[in-house]
Amino acid sequence: YIHNISQDHFITLFGKDPIIYYSKRSRNVRCSIYSKEIYKFLTEKLGLPSGERKYNPKNIIPLTFFNDNELLRNAIKGLFDTEGGFYQHNKTSQRLYIYNTSETLLNSLHLAFIQLGYKAIKKERWIKICKKEEIAKFFNEIGTNNLQKQLKYQIWLEEGKVPSTARILEKLKRL
């Protein structure tokens, strides 16, 4: 995902090749660009917060995004691609989640879902969508660029059950 989607977006949007870091200790991957011009654009023009985000009250979806539902859908898609999941809840139901430890971001995300007509449930560290119709609406209107989540959704449509992550990863190896 980092190489196929994020890296291409960085190059398309900013005209710069990002640096990709693989952390051995925390098992994560980061895609970064160091540029004062891009920093100023993101923080001053778009209003994205900088620095520590967990307790930053400015850690919200920029208010200007609420004037354009397409921007809201893209913000939600980005959060779902990086911090979301689609899981089987029990034999007959499924859940779509977006996890985050920033209360202000979750509040902002919840307002975005409400504006777009979703019945999302907000808790302390996540937002979830439970109803089958709402999940279908989410994937049709907002969608995902994350191939793993796309495959999970396609298999769920075909079989009526969300496949395990292990099954999806095995399928991705064969592609």
Side-chain angles (χ1 to χ4, degrees):
Y1 184 80
I2 290 286
H3 285 286
N4 296 337
I5 305 294
S6 297
Q7 187 175 27
D8 291 345
H9 285 327
F10 273 82
I11 293 167
T12 302
L13 291 171
F14 304 118
K16 296 185 182 264
D17 283 317
I19 299 167
I20 299 176
Y21 297 99
Y22 295 91
S23 172
K24 293 177 184 171
R25 286 185 292 145
S26 59
R27 294 181 30 199
N28 68 30
V29 180
R30 287 179 282 160
C31 190
S32 303
I33 290 180
Y34 294 97
S35 165
K36 284 183 182 180
E37 297 84 27
I38 294 172
Y39 173 82
K40 284 183 178 182
F41 172 75
L42 294 174
T43 58
E44 294 173 11
K45 296 254 185 195
L46 292 182
L48 296 175
S50 67
E52 176 64 37
R53 287 183 286 283
K54 185 173 181 181
Y55 302 108
N56 186 343
K58 294 181 182 177
N59 186 21
I60 60 172
I61 296 172
L63 297 177
T64 57
F65 284 35
F66 284 85
N67 296 328
D68 183 342
N69 285 347
E70 190 59 32
L71 285 175
L72 272 185
R73 284 190 279 276
N74 285 326
I76 293 170
K77 180 191 289 189
L79 286 166
F80 178 68
D81 282 351
T82 58
E83 301 179 36
F86 182 48
Y87 309 102
Q88 191 71 32
H89 175 64
N90 57 36
K91 288 184 179 184
T92 61
S93 66
Q94 59 292 315
R95 300 285 187 264
L96 186 144
Y97 286 91
I98 297 178
Y99 301 94
N100 200 286
T101 56
S102 170
E103 186 178 349
T104 54
L105 181 59
L106 285 178
N107 288 337
S108 177
L109 182 60
H110 190 242
L111 290 174
F113 273 121
I114 290 169
Q115 181 170 318
L116 295 173
Y118 290 87
K119 293 177 180 77
I121 299 165
K122 182 190 162 296
K123 294 291 183 179
E124 187 177 334
R125 289 193 157 84
W126 46 260
I127 290 181
K128 71 178 176 180
I129 296 175
C130 303
K131 293 185 177 184
K132 186 183 282 191
E133 302 80 26
E134 294 266 321
I135 292 171
K137 178 181 172 184
F138 177 91
F139 278 100
N140 289 328
E141 290 181 358
I142 295 172
T144 179
N145 287 325
N146 186 309
L147 185 56
Q148 180 178 337
K149 292 173 178 126
Q150 288 172 357
L151 284 172
K152 273 190 169 188
Y153 179 68
Q154 289 171 355
I155 292 171
W156 173 64
L157 287 176
E158 293 166 6
E159 300 176 3
K161 185 174 179 182
V162 180
S164 68
T165 300
R167 180 176 168 201
I168 293 298
L169 291 175
E170 195 59 42
K171 192 168 185 145
L172 286 172
K173 284 181 187 176
R174 290 179 272 163
L175 293 178

